[in-house]
Amino acid sequence: MRVLAFLSLFLLFQWVAAQDDFLAKQYFNDGDFEKAVVFYEKLAKRNPRSATYTQNLVNCYQQLEQYTEAEEFLLKRIQGPNVYPTIFIELGYNYSLQKKEEKAVMSYETALTKINENPNLGFSIGTRFQQYTLLEYAIKAYSKAMDLNPELNYNFQLARIYGEQGNIGKMYESYLLLMQEGRSSKPNVLRNINDFITENPENENNITLKKILLTKAQKNPDLLWNELLSWLFVQQKQYNSAFSQEKAIYKRDPESSLQRLVGLGDLAMEDNGEEVAQKIFEYVVANSKGGVTQLKAQLKLIDLDLRNPNQRKLSDVQKKFEELIATYGYKARTLQLQIDYANFLTFKKDTPEPALAILDKVLELPLNKFGKAHVKMALGNILVYHKKFNRALIYFSQIQKDLKNDVIGQNARFKVAQTSFYKGDFDWALTQLKVLRGSTSQLIANDAMQLSLLISDNSLEDSTQTALKKYARADLLAYQNKKEEAITILNDILENHKGEKVEDEALLRQAELLTQSKNYEAAELNYLKIVEFYPNDILADDALFALGELYSKALNEPEKAKSYYEKIIYNHQDSYYFPQARKNYRRLRGDTIN
């Protein structure tokens, strides 16, 4: 009976303590410090070793400007047994709030002396100093602990503090030491360093990092410094300089660095650095000993040849493909070669029949389900080009069924909808698109939403769907690289279907084709019409972003570009283009890009 009574009493005390804790937190978080202090006084009394209750009670006193009460409470704690050293920091900060700086300094120094007794206390003491923005004391705490026990490493904390102080050189040194000693991964360190550099190589922080890395490379020829210099040059879009570093890495580590060179070439290509990309891929071809890496570089060189093709280039490229096919043959590991050649024959040479024969042959190889999906996707795309819609739908549907939870399966479903749209089966296209509007891929979801709205909007007001059928035909012609014919049909829509829902869609699609044809002035006019006459429609952000891109990349009018990116930032925060618009705007303004 006594045991039962004791147990009941114990549970009651536990319940009361839990209630006090809950109410204390509630009042504290609501800023009702007068009520919170009552509960924290009880909790701190019952749990004298709890740092949380101690800190929150002191915080309540300070919020209520009851500095004397806080001081008395802390002095009592200091006189007790097993005093945790952060108490001295709390007391010092309380003195500081009362402008008693000499007493504050004495308390802070006392906290630092406790590290002599146990260097492992450096972390908690340094962290508490940081929380009160006492950064010099935090540096002393971390540094002293590391000096006393070389096994400890607080360079990450020190790097953060140096960054907050604006001591960029010391910050870099701390981060690089972490990486050099293997105490932090390179991606983690670079994410933090990236906050302090810009694309401008003349930026002071960039110059500081470059000098530090060059000095380290001279003193200690470690490949790490070449890799970091290459990374810095890439951020500054100095791909030739990055290439020099990557060549130095390759000469010392030829086995693993060719893939790095291929990656650098890809970045240069994406940034319209065709000349340096060509040098990089030619270097990879010359130095690789056959295999997939060499083939990848050869295919990239072909991609560069096809950026501005003429008939002579097309003939040369076909010969290159034929030579590569003769060299590598038909193998599962060289799948991309056959797919690229089939796409070339179809979309550049307008000869889909031999392309289909190549891929039918490839499909007989022993491929896994992803390999088969890639071949079937290519087959479907070529069949759409060839207007063999039903056969294309079979392949897309097979991919969708086999990989329904993968992005490639979702892309195949979109291809089903798009193909159905081209053939005029708008109802089935809508059925597929409704599912895709919740796709895990934002790009697919965005494309699905736009095509879905195009079909539904232009079916309601026109039961014959005349304008929609014209638009579908123009879109198919664009897919077939017959841009002039597509532009002509879109002109017909703009002239004969004025005021209909399809008008802004036709303006946008035509502008995209005009941009591809480098008719920038006509494209600009179309985009401006959308912005002026359809400012609240779903395509407004597409037009604004397109104008930003047009002015920044083609027309060299950065101030105009900024104004259109800015419109997306302030008026279209939910836009698919918002993240990129913000990044482009900040770059044009000269900000640091994270």
Side-chain angles (χ1 to χ4, degrees), residues 239-297:
Y239 298 109
N240 266 314
S241 298
F243 182 31
S244 297
Q245 295 299 321
E246 292 297 335
K247 282 191 287 188
I249 294 168
Y250 171 74
K251 286 172 184 174
R252 293 172 58 194
D253 183 19
E255 293 300 319
S256 61
S257 57
L258 280 176
Q259 282 298 329
R260 290 177 56 89
L261 280 158
V262 171
L264 178 62
D266 285 339
L267 288 172
M269 273 183 75
E270 288 170 16
D271 206 27
N272 297 316
E274 285 91 350
E275 189 175 331
V276 65
Q278 177 130 0
K279 289 179 189 173
I280 293 167
F281 291 127
E282 285 173 349
Y283 185 87
V284 173
V285 170
N287 288 278
S288 54
K289 300 172 183 177
V292 175
T293 301
Q294 187 178 63
L295 174 59
K296 191 182 293 185

Side-chain angles (χ1 to χ4, degrees), residues 532-587:
E532 182 179 356
F533 298 116
Y534 302 94
N536 300 315
D537 280 12
I538 193 169
L539 298 182
D541 60 324
D542 295 76
L544 290 169
F545 186 78
L547 281 166
E549 295 289 279
L550 194 66
Y551 288 128
S552 65
K553 295 179 179 177
L555 301 177
N556 196 26
E557 296 187 61
E559 289 305 313
K560 280 189 176 181
K562 274 168 58 180
S563 71
Y564 286 103
Y565 290 137
E566 193 174 38
K567 284 180 171 67
I568 293 176
I569 294 167
Y570 289 111
N571 302 323
H572 298 274
Q573 286 94 343
D574 59 345
S575 169
Y576 169 78
Y577 301 104
F578 176 81
Q580 191 61 45
R582 182 172 56 182
K583 184 176 179 180
N584 293 354
Y585 175 80
R586 293 182 63 198
R587 185 180 66 246

Side-chain angles (χ1 to χ4, degrees), residues 447-477:
D447 289 345
M449 182 180 68
Q450 291 206 357
L451 185 54
S452 174
L453 289 173
L454 170 70
I455 296 169
S456 56
D457 286 350
N458 289 282
S459 298
L460 288 172
E461 65 178 22
D462 179 10
S463 58
T464 63
Q465 299 174 319
T466 305
L468 189 60
K469 289 172 183 174
K470 288 181 182 178
Y471 185 95
R473 187 179 164 213
D475 206 27
L476 177 60
L477 287 166

Side-chain angles (χ1 to χ4, degrees), residues 3 5-6 14 50 88 100 150 154 179 201 242 332 337 372 382 388 399 416 427 431 466-467 477 509 516 561 594:
V3 173
F6 176 79
Q14 289 290 97
S50 169
F88 294 100
K100 299 177 181 178
Y154 300 128
M179 197 189 306
L337 168 60
K372 285 182 179 178
I382 292 168
K388 306 289 185 182
I399 299 167
V416 169
D427 290 339
T431 301
T466 305
L477 287 166
R509 192 72 181 99
Q516 292 169 20
N594 293 341

Side-chain angles (χ1 to χ4, degrees), residues 147 158 214 294 306 335 495 556:
D147 288 341
L158 287 170
L214 286 170
Q294 187 178 63
L306 293 173
L335 203 59
E495 289 173 5
N556 196 26

Side-chain angles (χ1 to χ4, degrees), residues 284-331:
V284 173
V285 170
N287 288 278
S288 54
K289 300 172 183 177
V292 175
T293 301
Q294 187 178 63
L295 174 59
K296 191 182 293 185
Q298 289 168 317
L299 292 174
K300 294 291 183 181
L301 286 168
I302 287 174
D303 286 345
L304 287 168
D305 286 338
L306 293 173
R307 287 211 162 179
N308 293 295
N310 52 37
Q311 284 304 316
R312 182 178 174 182
K313 271 192 179 181
L314 291 176
S315 297
D316 289 344
V317 165
Q318 181 150 5
K319 287 177 185 174
K320 288 179 183 177
F321 268 124
E322 288 168 355
E323 288 169 2
L324 290 173
I325 292 286
T327 301
Y328 292 97
Y330 287 76
K331 299 172 185 173

